[in-house]
Amino acid sequence: MARIARNQPCPCGSGKKYKRCCLRAGGPLPEGQAPGRALAWLHEHHEEAMQEAFREDFLGGLQDDELARFKHLPESLWNMLDVNGWEFVLAEGQLELPSGRVSCLDLVFSPGGPLLDAGQREYLEKMRREPLGLYEVVESYPGSGLRLRDLLDDEAPLRWIRELGASESLSAGNVIGARLIPGSPWTFSGAIYSYSQQVALRLQQELRRELAAGKPDQALERELRGGTLADGWLELLTMPAPTLVDASTGEATLLVNDHYRVVDWDGLEAALAAQPDVSGDRRNGWSRLEDPTAEMSRTRLAINLRGEDRIEAFARTRKLADEGKVWFEQLAGDAVAHITREITDPASLWEGRFDKPSGPSGPSGPLIDPSELPDGFHQQLHEQIYRNWADEPVPMLGDRTPRQALETKAGRQQVIDLLESYERNEQAKPKESMVDYGFLWRELALERPRRQSP
């Protein structure tokens, strides 16, 4: 969404102009310094107990193999882990002291605690009262704030949150966990947990089921929300490599590249042009199609240009690569000379997915450096991940499946809006990792709306 002009109405709904409302309040709020002051005092006086609380209260839901995967996190995610973890310990944690277990905020408010003014004490009291929640970003105004919808309370109003940093990276349709601090304006407490849609749906369903079944009191509900949302985010960070299986062959997906030196470009071009199942040219590379008569056909072998006299033949499984190598070398003959074969297991890229972050860091950012992947890999990966999307409940559709939502006019528009939000998010990605969601439009027999040019 475009940035707000100074003289436009403020999106927080106050009725004032933006320059006289949230823009004026753009700096850090003094009371917002309270968590840092409280944490500094707790570390100074109870460092060992604080470290134990971080391990047990925040990381305690992880298994040993999940904890070991933290070694792959880049510095940016370690910083996020620190922010989220210590906010959780301050708001939810209990310290094991010689006198017994005591909550962090009880210690902060006790005689001898850190010096806090009335506004800072009130801010920490709000942290004590407000649980973590699950929210969908409805609108984002970069550099200003966000409008959120509560995914655990259908009757809650949309909430405007003043947030300078996160509004730069979050967009409509993103789902986050956060602790909202009431005020004028409302703010985040500091922690933000980003989720994929699949994880968000699981957490939403789990929490709604638990909250409806147990009718917990306020303290238990707070503990249930906090533990579930924090654990869901940590599991996403430490998720093991997915198993990718090629739909057409049933084989495990591998990234197989055969590298060739081109001896005779004219001969190679003529040989490929004569094949009815091959499309492309020397400028853009070639694709050998599974069904050249189909409107949309999967590629059996992609022939990509890699230099003045270099090409590579890429296939998504070893079987397709072996078949493609025999076919290509018989077809090209002396026009090419094989140099080497390179095989990459996607699991190895996944395990090192944070070593070279490209683009926004965090679990909702790129998982694999796009430059390491062959052409078409992201498209193939998304088509496998989303192959059952049309028949799976989606939080943003009120837990209905997209196919169920199409049964009503309003639901149909929601599905269209959701698909368009996916496509808008693609525009912010590097070109080599962008995905065409046309396969979802076709699955639901929907036509993309025609938009008038501005």
Side-chain angles (χ1 to χ4, degrees):
M1 182 169 290
R3 293 182 183 273
I4 311 163
R6 291 169 52 84
N7 289 315
Q8 286 182 328
C10 188
C12 75
S14 66
K16 300 178 183 179
K17 290 184 178 181
Y18 176 54
K19 67 182 180 182
R20 298 190 182 280
C21 191
C22 286
L23 179 60
R24 174 179 288 182
L29 299 174
E31 58 266 28
Q33 300 170 3
R37 185 167 297 181
L39 283 169
W41 182 86
L42 287 165
H43 280 293
E44 180 182 355
H45 292 85
H46 305 286
E47 176 63 20
E48 185 175 345
M50 286 288 284
Q51 296 296 335
E52 180 65 17
F54 191 96
R55 287 190 296 270
E56 292 299 321
D57 293 346
F58 186 59
L59 301 179
L62 296 178
Q63 303 297 319
D64 289 344
D65 59 331
E66 293 173 322
L67 288 170
R69 295 193 189 100
F70 278 138
K71 67 181 181 181
H72 296 292
L73 297 181
E75 183 179 355
S76 59
L77 277 185
W78 275 109
N79 293 338
M80 189 183 301
L81 192 69
D82 268 352
V83 170
N84 289 0
W86 289 120
E87 188 273 356
F88 186 92
V89 169
L90 177 62
E92 315 266 354
Q94 302 263 332
L95 299 191
E96 192 70 54
L97 302 179
S99 58
R101 289 181 64 82
V102 185
S103 78
C104 287
L105 286 176
D106 279 346
L107 283 170
V108 169
F109 292 140
S110 66
L115 183 62
L116 301 169
D117 63 29
Q120 291 169 339
R121 291 183 67 88
E122 182 182 3
Y123 186 95
L124 293 176
E125 286 287 4
K126 291 176 181 178
M127 283 188 67
R128 185 205 294 267
R129 291 195 303 267
E130 300 297 328
L132 281 173
L134 187 65
Y135 302 97
E136 175 198 1
V137 178
V138 178
E139 295 176 302
S140 175
Y141 295 84
S144 302
L146 306 157
R147 202 176 307 280
L148 304 181
R149 180 167 72 91
D150 193 325
L151 293 178
L152 299 177
D153 183 356
D154 294 333
E155 298 181 359
L158 297 182
R159 183 69 65 190
W160 168 258
I161 306 297
R162 194 199 67 161
E163 171 55 45
L164 308 187
S167 61
E168 296 281 358
S169 57
L170 294 173
S171 57
N174 290 158
V175 181
I176 61 171
R179 194 185 315 277
L180 306 188
I181 303 299
S184 298
W186 285 50
T187 58
F188 290 134
S189 67
I192 297 179
Y193 303 82
S194 296
Y195 303 109
S196 67
Q197 288 192 10
Q198 291 87 348
V199 171
L201 174 64
R202 176 174 62 81
L203 295 176
Q204 182 195 41
Q205 292 177 331
E206 181 179 339
L207 279 170
R208 283 189 165 182
R209 184 171 57 251
E210 294 288 344
L211 294 174
K215 304 294 183 185
D217 60 26
Q218 187 174 3
L220 185 57
E221 177 179 341
R222 176 189 178 86
E223 182 179 348
L224 182 63
R225 282 172 170 246
T228 301
L229 294 174
D231 286 351
W233 181 72
L234 291 167
E235 289 169 9
L236 190 61
L237 285 191
T238 58
M239 187 181 297
T243 300
L244 299 179
V245 177
D246 181 64
S248 63
T249 65
E251 280 194 298
T253 297
L254 290 175
L255 312 180
V256 186
N257 286 283
D258 282 300
H259 298 267
Y260 293 88
R261 180 170 61 87
V262 180
V263 179
D264 179 5
W265 273 112
D266 291 339
L268 177 61
E269 288 182 87
L272 290 169
Q275 302 305 304
D277 59 348
V278 174
S279 65
D281 52 41
R282 182 174 173 179
R283 180 184 180 89
N284 300 302
W286 295 267
S287 296
R288 187 187 183 199
L289 305 175
E290 292 182 353
D291 183 2
T293 64
E295 182 179 352
M296 295 290 295
S297 176
R298 292 170 65 87
T299 299
R300 294 178 62 83
L301 189 72
I303 302 168
N304 304 312
L305 310 179
R306 289 294 179 260
E308 291 187 4
D309 65 343
R310 292 289 190 274
I311 60 173
E312 67 177 19
F314 165 72
R316 60 186 182 272
T317 72
R318 188 187 297 272
K319 179 180 179 181
L320 289 174
D322 291 342
E323 293 174 350
K325 185 173 185 293
V326 172
W327 169 85
F328 181 64
E329 291 180 359
Q330 289 179 346
L331 175 69
D334 294 336
V336 300
H338 188 260
I339 300 174
T340 188
R341 168 171 283 191
E342 180 183 13
I343 301 177
T344 304
D345 185 345
S348 66
L349 296 176
W350 177 274
E351 292 299 339
R353 63 194 182 279
F354 297 121
D355 293 342
K356 301 177 183 178
S358 56
S361 63
S364 60
L367 296 178
I368 300 173
D369 186 346
S371 65
E372 297 182 11
L373 298 174
D375 294 343
F377 178 77
H378 285 87
Q379 185 70 34
Q380 176 202 349
L381 178 62
H382 275 69
E383 289 188 20
Q384 289 195 37
I385 291 174
Y386 285 86
R387 64 182 179 271
N388 298 320
W389 179 84
D391 298 299
E392 293 177 339
V394 176
M396 281 64 78
L397 299 177
D399 292 346
R400 294 171 297 171
T401 71
R403 210 180 301 278
Q404 289 171 338
L406 292 180
E407 295 174 0
T408 67
K409 183 177 180 180
R412 182 183 184 88
Q413 188 59 51
Q414 285 182 306
V415 173
I416 290 173
D417 291 343
L418 186 57
L419 287 173
E420 289 188 318
S421 75
Y422 291 174
E423 294 182 328
R424 283 194 300 272
N425 290 340
E426 290 300 308
Q427 301 305 312
K429 294 182 180 180
K431 184 178 179 181
E432 60 268 26
S433 64
M434 289 175 64
V435 172
D436 179 6
Y437 283 97
F439 66 97
L440 292 181
W441 293 91
R442 290 190 295 274
E443 174 67 23
L444 294 170
L446 283 173
E447 291 188 9
R448 287 184 173 92
R450 295 182 179 180
R451 302 297 183 191
Q452 292 183 348
S453 300

